[in-house]
Structure formats: C-alpha cells, structure tokens
Amino acid sequence: MKILLLTTSSGETYCSNCFRDNLYAQALRNAGHDVIIMPLYLPIANKSLRADTPLFFPATSYYVAQKFFKKGKVPRLLEKILNAQALLRLAASLSGTTSAKGMEQMTLSMINGEGKSFEHQVEKIIHWIENHDTPEVIHLPTSMLTGIAKAIKSRMNIPIVCSLKDEEVWIDELESRYAREAWEAIGYNSIYIDRFVTSSESYKSISLNKIPDIKEIDVVPLDEDIAEKLLEIYLQIK
C-alpha cells in the first residue's frame, strides 16, 4: 500500500509526535508498504526519518506571510531568501523555545484552511500529489492540520487518517477565545477525516472531551503490532 505520511518536524527538538511518526514509518516499511514522508515547517533533524518530498509550509516564510502579507503572497525572491537552508537551520535551533502565545492567527489558519498564505502553501502540496503516484491513504500527524484535509478533500477522493496527540499542549496556551475557536474548528473539520487514531486510551479520553464532534477514535498503541493495526484501519477506509 502507498501511504503519504505527513510529519511536523520540531527541528532540533525531538518531540513525541516525531517519535511516533518515525515508528509508524519504520513499522509500515518493514511490513513491505511504500511510505512517503512529507515534512512540514522545518527540515527533519532525526537521521532515521528521511524526507521523501520537499519541505512544505516552511516555518520561516509561512510565519512572515502570516504576519506581514495576509492579503497576498510573499514576493518570490523574499520567499526564496526566507526558505534558505541557513535560515531554516536557525529556526530549527530555536524551535525548542517556541510558544503558542502570539501564534493564534497562524494556528487558526492551519486549522481552518483559510488565508492567502495557507492557500498558496497547500496548493503546493496538492500539486505535488497530483504529479506523483496518488497515495492510497494520507496520514496527518495532528488535528491542527485538518485545514489541509479540507483542501485535499475538495480536490481528491483520497482517504485521510489523522493522529491525535498533545493538541491541548499548544491550543490551550492560546488566548482563551482563540483556543475555543480552534477546538470548535477541529470539530467541524472532523467531517474531512475518515478515521482518527491515537496511541493510548488516556489520550482518547482527552480528545473526546476536547472535541465532542469526534464520535470514534481508534487506539493504536506504539507496540510491535503498529503496522498490522494501522493497515487494518487503512483498508477499512480505502
């Protein structure tokens, strides 16, 4: 099976979601499946998880676009400068100090799938998919990217699975009104997700409490049966 696995790199900080995505990719590949790793925000720092596509939604230019170019695209030359490897490496080195405070508009843009800068970046993802072998399943690493699912579903009939883990660590740090809007938007966007998965019963309970619009979440523990359980879910929605 061909699986497009998106992963949000944390730069030099190796987060639990990166660890989970790494386990997913290795387990599925060891089981003989074709897993395509698509990084978002920052280059992947962990050498065991190699990117198979260009970097999308690069943190440097996307941040500038959200802050200063809300009504249009970042000029091409400036975008090229911002996405230079040196600046991306600098952003990666500072990623551990990143706070959700002040990132409300960017967070909501990614969840709602709205705004010129979002549309510009998500179009690049769709264009990449259209010009390569179509994956049988797309797997998102967090519900804070459901705006991408919304955009893809408007153009392609590809099943989408979404992992749930630690969203509240970021969202609940936002200003309260933005946090409420974010959780509500994720609930609305759940219609674009074919299945939700998480790695534990405890986080399943947290997710159902935070996002009551989600009615069902599959638990896939990070054990030796990861590939088998994920494949079962993928085949059910294929």
Side-chain angles (χ1 to χ4, degrees):
M1 177 176 281
K2 184 180 287 291
I3 303 135
L4 178 60
L5 179 64
L6 280 68
T7 184
T8 52
S9 174
S10 297
E12 295 181 5
T13 303
Y14 194 48
C15 69
S16 59
N17 285 356
C18 303
F19 174 74
R20 177 206 61 206
D21 294 343
N22 194 5
L23 288 179
Y24 281 0
Q26 290 184 356
L28 288 164
R29 283 171 172 168
N30 289 341
H33 300 285
D34 184 6
V35 181
I36 305 160
I37 303 296
M38 178 179 283
L40 306 180
Y41 300 144
L42 293 168
I44 297 173
N46 190 328
K47 295 180 181 178
S48 65
L49 189 63
R50 180 181 57 83
D52 300 303
T53 77
L55 176 69
F56 293 98
F57 283 93
T60 45
S61 62
Y62 194 60
Y63 177 81
V64 169
Q66 285 289 327
K67 287 292 184 180
F68 305 108
F69 294 90
K70 294 180 181 179
K71 295 184 179 181
K73 296 191 300 184
V74 176
R76 186 171 297 180
L77 178 58
L78 178 58
E79 184 177 43
K80 184 176 180 179
I81 293 170
L82 291 169
N83 293 339
Q85 287 300 309
L87 281 180
L88 286 168
R89 284 195 296 269
L90 176 61
S93 70
L94 299 172
S95 61
T97 63
T98 301
S99 167
K101 292 293 185 182
M103 305 289 280
E104 284 84 1
Q105 294 303 323
M106 182 180 293
T107 301
L108 289 173
S109 172
M110 294 301 299
I111 295 173
N112 289 321
E114 296 175 349
K116 291 291 184 181
S117 51
F118 176 88
E119 292 168 3
H120 174 56
Q121 292 294 332
V122 81
E123 185 62 31
K124 291 183 179 182
I125 290 180
I126 292 173
H127 179 76
W128 189 93
I129 295 172
E130 289 176 337
N131 285 275
H132 293 78
D133 290 341
T134 303
E136 296 171 82
V137 173
I138 295 174
H139 196 138
L140 300 180
T142 170
S143 62
M144 292 192 291
L145 295 178
T146 48
I148 293 177
K150 179 181 176 181
I152 290 174
K153 285 289 192 178
S154 71
R155 300 263 290 272
M156 304 173 178
N157 186 26
I158 302 175
I160 299 179
V161 173
C162 181
S163 290
L164 296 164
K165 191 177 190 303
D166 295 341
E167 281 89 347
E168 84 289 353
V169 174
W170 182 271
I171 293 176
D172 288 348
E173 192 180 336
L174 303 174
E175 187 180 329
S176 59
R177 65 188 179 97
Y178 292 113
R180 286 194 301 272
E181 185 178 342
W183 288 121
E184 289 171 0
I186 290 172
Y188 173 77
N189 283 349
S190 64
I191 64 175
Y192 303 108
I193 303 297
D194 294 279
R195 293 289 278 274
F196 285 94
V197 300
T198 192
S199 57
S200 68
E201 290 290 345
S202 61
Y203 202 74
K204 176 179 178 178
S205 297
I206 291 172
S207 299
L208 290 173
N209 177 257
K210 290 287 187 179
I211 321 167
D213 287 330
I214 298 178
K215 305 303 180 185
E216 184 177 355
I217 301 172
D218 291 292
V219 176
V220 180
L222 302 181
D223 56 25
E224 66 275 6
D225 296 324
I226 297 175
E228 180 181 343
K229 291 171 181 174
L230 285 174
L231 186 61
E232 181 181 349
I233 292 168
Y234 294 160
L235 289 173
Q236 287 173 359
I237 62 175
K238 185 173 175 291

